[in-house]
């Protein structure tokens, strides 16, 4: 019964986080930053799309138009102007490093040594370093029947590794019935994570291993055993 209640709470947290994240990602992007991007899609101009495909392009937004300047080590190439159209869209990609601090409010541990699947909600925090992919979808939308304006939707995805500290309840059931008191044990954890960048905060999934610090580490049934978890993080960039 307790597992069902926890799973329901997790579902509500995820739904709320993804909903708020989607609003933040779209609402906060009103102007595309001048920078280097990869042009993933360019609607309505196949010749230009083929020319810009698979290379770094300096992109500048000028009202309802984009100015593309392909990367070149030669004298500055002539910029190319592209006007956004209502029935076409542009998709550009920005890649960068991502440094986050995140918490893992829930860890799911597989059944082991006679102990069923565990859903742990102890304190866990970690430092994350990885790659972030920012996708920007640009188009023109109708504000009124006679007026149009650019529209930008942004989605961020990330993947990388983490290292951190956490706690776990140590009892006889998880130490092969070794004699001793029940206490909160300190663990080091490390692993891989994937993130959805919601601008204000990030949500995602983590997979890792725990290393219990202390004399019970040799008998702890979860020592260096994999787990899955949910994560929430704060973007430090």
């Amino acid at each position: 019964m307790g597992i069902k209640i926890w799973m329901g709470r997790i579902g509500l947290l995820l739904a709320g986080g993804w909903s708020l994240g989607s609003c933040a990602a779209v609402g906060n992007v009103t102007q595309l930053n001048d920078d280097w991007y990869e042009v993933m899609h360019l609607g309505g101009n196949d010749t230009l799309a083929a020319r810009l495909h698979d290379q770094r392009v300096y992109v500048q937004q000028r009202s309802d138009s984009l100015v593309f300047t392909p990367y070149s080590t030669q004298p500055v190439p002539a910029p190319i102007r592209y006007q956004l159209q209502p029935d076409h869209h542009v998709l550009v990609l920005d890649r960068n490093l991502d440094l986050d601090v995140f918490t893992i409010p829930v860890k799911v541990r597989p059944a082991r040594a006679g102990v069923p699947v565990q859903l742990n909600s102890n304190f866990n925090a970690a430092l994350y370093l990885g790659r972030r992919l920012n996708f920007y979808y640009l188009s023109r939308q109708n504000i009124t029947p006679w007026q149009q304006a650019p529209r930008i939707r942004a989605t961020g995805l990330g993947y990388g590794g983490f290292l951190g500290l956490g706690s776990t309840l140590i009892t006889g059931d998880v130490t092969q019935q070794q004699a001793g008191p029940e206490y909160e044990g300190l663990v080091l954890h490390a692993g891989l994570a994937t993130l959805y960048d919601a601008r204000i905060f990030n949500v995602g999934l983590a997979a890792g291993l725990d290393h219990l610090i202390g004399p019970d580490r040799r008998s702890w049934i979860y020592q260096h055993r994999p787990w899955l978890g949910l994560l929430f993080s704060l973007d430090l960039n």
Side-chain angles (χ1 to χ4, degrees):
M1 186 68 179
I3 295 292
K4 292 182 179 179
I5 294 174
W6 267 106
M7 293 305 292
R9 292 177 179 175
I10 293 168
L12 289 174
L13 285 173
L14 280 178
W18 279 83
S19 174
L20 289 173
S22 298
C23 293
V26 176
N28 286 349
V29 181
T30 57
Q31 174 76 24
L32 186 69
N33 292 331
D34 295 352
D35 208 341
W36 293 97
Y37 297 88
E38 295 178 33
V39 180
M40 309 295 292
H41 179 80
L42 191 63
N45 193 327
D46 295 338
T47 301
L48 181 57
R51 179 180 172 184
L52 300 179
H53 180 67
D54 201 25
Q55 65 171 306
R56 294 177 66 204
V57 178
Y58 195 76
V59 182
Q60 300 167 287
Q61 183 185 353
R62 297 294 179 262
S63 185
D64 62 350
S65 296
L66 298 175
V67 179
F68 299 115
T69 306
Y71 177 81
S72 175
T73 57
Q74 303 302 317
V76 180
I80 305 165
R81 196 176 189 90
Y82 173 90
Q83 187 170 14
L84 296 170
Q85 301 295 328
D87 54 345
H88 296 130
H89 72 270
V90 176
L91 180 64
V92 297
L93 168 64
D94 170 36
R95 304 172 187 264
N96 51 49
L97 288 177
D98 192 15
L99 179 64
D100 288 336
V101 172
F102 65 66
T103 62
I104 308 172
V106 173
K107 283 182 179 179
V108 178
R109 302 185 188 276
R112 177 162 175 78
V115 179
V117 175
Q118 294 291 299
L119 186 63
N120 299 149
S121 58
N122 304 76
F123 167 79
N124 290 278
L127 182 66
Y128 163 90
L129 179 64
R131 174 73 70 176
R132 183 168 61 191
L133 308 177
N134 295 313
F135 295 90
Y136 298 93
Y137 181 100
L138 299 96
S139 62
R140 288 179 67 182
Q141 64 176 346
N142 293 322
I143 299 178
T144 65
W146 59 86
Q147 186 180 13
Q148 295 178 340
R151 180 187 184 189
I152 305 175
R153 289 180 291 169
T155 299
L157 302 174
Y159 57 91
F162 65 87
L163 179 67
L165 295 171
S167 66
T168 187
L169 180 62
I170 302 299
T171 67
D173 292 334
V174 297
T175 56
Q176 305 178 57
Q177 302 305 325
Q178 296 294 315
E182 294 187 3
Y183 65 97
E184 288 284 337
L186 176 65
V187 297
L188 296 175
H189 50 227
L192 301 175
T194 179
L195 301 174
Y196 169 75
D197 180 6
R199 304 288 165 176
I200 298 175
F201 60 88
N202 299 328
V203 294
L205 296 173
L209 304 174
D210 282 351
H211 176 81
L212 179 66
I213 298 175
D216 288 317
R217 63 180 181 276
R218 294 182 179 85
S219 58
W220 190 43
I221 63 175
Y222 298 120
Q223 185 80 336
H224 301 162
R225 295 292 174 175
W227 50 260
L228 294 176
L230 303 176
L231 63 87
F232 292 87
S233 75
L234 174 66
D235 189 1
L236 297 181
N237 291 48

